[in-house]
Amino acid sequence: VAIVTGASAGIGKSTALQLAKLGWHVIGTGRTAARCAAAEAELREASAGTGGKVDFLRGDFCNMADVKRVADEIKALTPRLDVLINNAGGVRDQRYTTEDGLEATLAANHLAPFLLTRELLPLLKATAAGQPAGSVRVIAVSSSGHLACPGMNWDDLNFENGFNTGGAYCQAKLANILFTRELNRRVAADGIVAQSMHPGRVDTMFASHGDDAMQSYMANAELDGPDLPARTLVWMATEAEAGREGGRYFFNCEAVDTGPQANDAASEARLWDESEKMLAKIGL
C-alpha cells in the first residue's frame, strides 16, 4: 500500500500511475475536486487487471484540520501502509496566512507532511513489524532549492517580518530534508527508513501560484517531464537499495550530497520540536 500526496497532477500523478500499474493499492490525495476525479479515473484504468486498488482523498494541505482528516480517512481505508510519499507542495507569490495562522508555504510544504506522517506512524510501525527492515519507507520530495537557504529562520519561521517567494520555498525544502533525517533517526529501530529526493526541474503546475520571477524562471528553464522524477520515486519505494541506510537524499536513482545546512543534527531535532509547538498551538 502506498500513499502519494499531490497525486492529482504532475510528479505525484505520474508516481501514482506507475505504482498502480505494478498492482499496488494506491491512495492518492489532491486538493481540487475536478483534478482528483480525473486522476482517480486514470489510476483505476492503469490498475485494471493488476490486482491493485485505487482510492483518492481530497484535502487542502494548507489546512491542518484537513490533513488530520485525510490521515483518519487513510486509517479507515487500510490496515497497513508500506510507503508514504510526501510529494504535495508548491510556491506562493506573496505571504498568505492560512486559517491556522501559518504562512502557507511552510504549512503546505512542511507542516502538512510532518502532521500526516506523525498521524500515520502507528500504521507504518505496525506494518514494519511484520516485514524485513527497510521495507516500510517514508519519502519526501525536497529540492536542490534547499542549497539557497543558509539555515532555518528560527526567529521567524512564518516570515511575519518580510516575505519573498524564493526564501520561503527554499526554507521549506530545507525543512523537508531536516525532518526526514530526524524522522529516520526516530524510526530506525522500528525498521522504517526515511529518505528524501530532488526531482530536478520538472514541467508541472509547480510555479502556477508563484511570483513573476519564479514563473519566468520556470518558463525559460530546460524542464524534464514528470515521469522522470516519478521513476526515481517508484525506485525509492520498491528497490532494496533505497531501503538501506535511511536519511539519504537521491537524484535520478542515485544518492547525492545535500548542503551542510541539511545535515545538522541540532537543526533536525530543533525543527521537530518547533513543528510540534506550532501544531500544539492550533490544537493538534
Side-chain angles (χ1 to χ4, degrees):
V1 180
I3 295 167
V4 184
T5 69
S8 62
I11 297 169
K13 187 172 79 169
S14 182
T15 302
L17 282 166
Q18 291 182 40
L19 289 170
K21 290 175 182 177
L22 293 175
W24 283 58
H25 177 188
V26 179
I27 303 173
T29 79
R31 181 176 58 86
T32 304
R35 286 205 301 267
C36 287
E40 181 176 5
E42 282 190 64
L43 290 174
R44 291 190 185 279
E45 183 178 355
S47 68
T50 67
K53 182 181 177 182
V54 173
D55 289 293
F56 222 97
L57 304 173
R58 190 160 68 91
D60 182 352
F61 274 26
C62 283
N63 183 320
M64 295 303 108
D66 260 21
V67 177
K68 176 67 166 58
R69 175 184 53 77
V70 166
D72 290 340
E73 291 178 357
I74 288 167
K75 287 183 277 190
L77 282 171
T78 176
R80 66 177 295 148
L81 176 55
D82 298 271
V83 177
L84 168 58
I85 300 177
N86 287 314
N87 163 74
V91 296
R92 305 303 294 265
D93 61 337
Q94 57 184 290
R95 189 182 189 280
Y96 293 93
T97 302
T98 72
E99 295 178 26
D100 302 309
L102 302 165
E103 188 276 312
T105 310
L106 184 72
N109 289 273
H110 168 62
L111 281 173
F114 179 91
L115 176 59
L116 183 66
T117 304
R118 189 188 75 180
E119 293 299 307
L120 295 176
L121 271 180
L123 192 56
L124 289 160
K125 290 179 179 180
T127 306
Q131 303 292 321
S135 299
V136 173
R137 304 168 189 185
V138 180
I139 302 167
V141 176
S142 180
S143 168
S144 63
H146 81 274
L147 297 168
C149 180
M152 299 298 295
N153 184 9
W154 299 116
D155 294 329
D156 191 15
L157 291 172
N158 268 302
F159 284 89
E160 295 177 18
N161 301 308
F163 176 89
N164 69 82
T165 290
Y169 175 72
C170 292
Q171 176 182 255
K173 295 294 105 178
L174 173 59
N176 292 155
I177 303 174
L178 294 173
F179 164 54
T180 297
R181 289 178 58 82
E182 179 65 11
L183 173 66
N184 187 72
R185 184 185 69 77
R186 291 177 179 236
V187 300
D190 298 296
I192 301 170
V193 298
Q195 313 279 27
S196 59
M197 62 89 75
H198 167 50
R201 291 180 293 188
V202 187
D203 186 11
T204 67
M205 297 171 61
F206 158 75
S208 60
H209 297 291
D211 62 12
D212 290 344
M214 179 67 75
Q215 294 197 37
S216 176
Y217 170 77
M218 292 299 291
N220 291 291
E222 185 175 337
L223 304 176
D224 295 316
D227 287 352
L228 185 62
R231 281 198 291 271
T232 294
L233 284 167
V234 172
W235 179 87
M236 292 174 72
T238 59
E239 290 297 319
E241 172 57 29
R244 291 191 282 267
E245 190 188 343
R248 289 184 290 168
Y249 174 69
F250 289 85
F251 176 57
N252 283 346
C253 300
E254 293 186 0
V256 295
D257 291 335
T258 65
Q261 65 272 52
N263 185 8
D264 177 76
S267 294
E268 292 156 18
R270 182 173 181 182
L271 178 62
W272 189 288
D273 291 343
E274 294 291 342
S275 302
E276 291 281 25
K277 290 175 184 175
M278 282 188 275
L279 291 173
K281 285 183 179 178
I282 57 176
L284 293 170

